[in-house]
Amino acid sequence: MSKSIRIPAPDPSDTSPAVTHVPGTSGPSRALVAGVALGAAALGLAACGPAGAGVAYVTSPAVSASSPSASAVAGGRYTKIVAMSGLQVSPPTTSATSEHLGLTWAQAATAFAATSAVQGSHAQAILGYGLVTLSGSTLPGGTSPLDRRGAWVGITWGGTTSCPAAAVPPAGSSTSRASYHQIFTAVVIYGKGGDGAIVYTSRGTPSCGGPQTGPTVTAAREVLSVPWQQTTQLHNGSVRVSYQAPSCATLFSTASSGNMGVGKYILTVEVTEPFDRTSCPTTTHTTSIRLFPSPPVPPGAPAVPSHTTLGHGPTGPVSVLQTGRIAGGP
């Protein structure tokens, strides 16, 4: 009999809700930049803001922007301008290359899929390299202004959500269709080696209805499986383990899979960490992992083995993005 248990843990610092990183160089100093974003349906009017706010980029009147779609990316790059509220991604001006910011498309896809903000089921997901401009939003501390800045940009939208029956609009309601605006979640990886990233959630209608929300901008966090060491013997179906992680990491989940009859289990410890965690010293954390229900054992279940063997699950980035495929690869 196999037993698999997954125990999610709250992430208080991940309010929006991998790849080996190379410390990036510091970005340019913050500046006040005024701009007018053409195409009000996509970007609206952007004005000067306080230091640290996003900046606007003036596009050519002859170039129109559209919402994200699978056709917006090809060969690892954006091929046309897309816009989500105040975030715009334009095709890069540099010649095609298989690597940007020290990351290949496949490595950027690994980091994108491991971002905690995109956890769950999504109908569509795209990824490509492009020039990013953000207007009308305040950036997280330490983030340089994004004004046609080269970045890997992954975008997700759609998906299945469980909603209370009372929250579902009446079928065929023209009012609900007219007021509905799709929410897009974009992961912008702009740091060298992937050590800097933000999550942008466009303004739109929540999946279960209600007033429009957003846009929001938060620092991105990625989900990583980290090494652990057992610190206590099995007691009431659980063991305690310790693991090394940055002080700014938070526990995401623990998992146990195995066979109670033979007493062999594979354990994993997953945490979320900022993409740029160079300023966070490594510390020791501890947590408990449940292997099987504490006594009494349910009727019909195998007897608890006198000895258990604990194995280690894979470490590194954990894909939390559930989608058919990520479009845009080379």
Side-chain angles (χ1 to χ4, degrees), residues 78 80-84 87-91 130-133 153 155:
Y78 279 81
K80 63 181 180 181
I81 297 176
V82 299
M84 303 144 280
L87 182 71
Q88 179 174 289
V89 187
S90 304
L131 303 180
V132 178
T133 295
V153 183
I155 306 173

Side-chain angles (χ1 to χ4, degrees), residues 129-162:
Y129 185 81
L131 303 180
V132 178
T133 295
L134 178 63
S135 62
S137 296
T138 301
L139 293 168
T143 305
S144 300
L146 299 177
D147 181 17
R148 287 183 61 81
R149 182 164 182 171
W152 288 103
V153 183
I155 306 173
T156 62
W157 66 95
T160 303
T161 304
S162 177

Side-chain angles (χ1 to χ4, degrees), residues 117-197:
V118 301
Q119 179 187 8
S121 173
H122 296 270
Q124 299 285 339
I126 61 176
L127 172 70
Y129 185 81
L131 303 180
V132 178
T133 295
L134 178 63
S135 62
S137 296
T138 301
L139 293 168
T143 305
S144 300
L146 299 177
D147 181 17
R148 287 183 61 81
R149 182 164 182 171
W152 288 103
V153 183
I155 306 173
T156 62
W157 66 95
T160 303
T161 304
S162 177
C163 303
V168 179
S173 170
S174 59
T175 301
S176 63
R177 289 197 301 270
S179 60
Y180 179 80
H181 294 275
Q182 177 71 61
I183 293 178
F184 299 93
T185 300
V187 179
V188 180
I189 304 173
Y190 60 84
K192 183 69 174 177
D195 68 351

Side-chain angles (χ1 to χ4, degrees), residues 120 126 128 229 257 295:
I126 61 176
Q229 290 187 336
S257 61

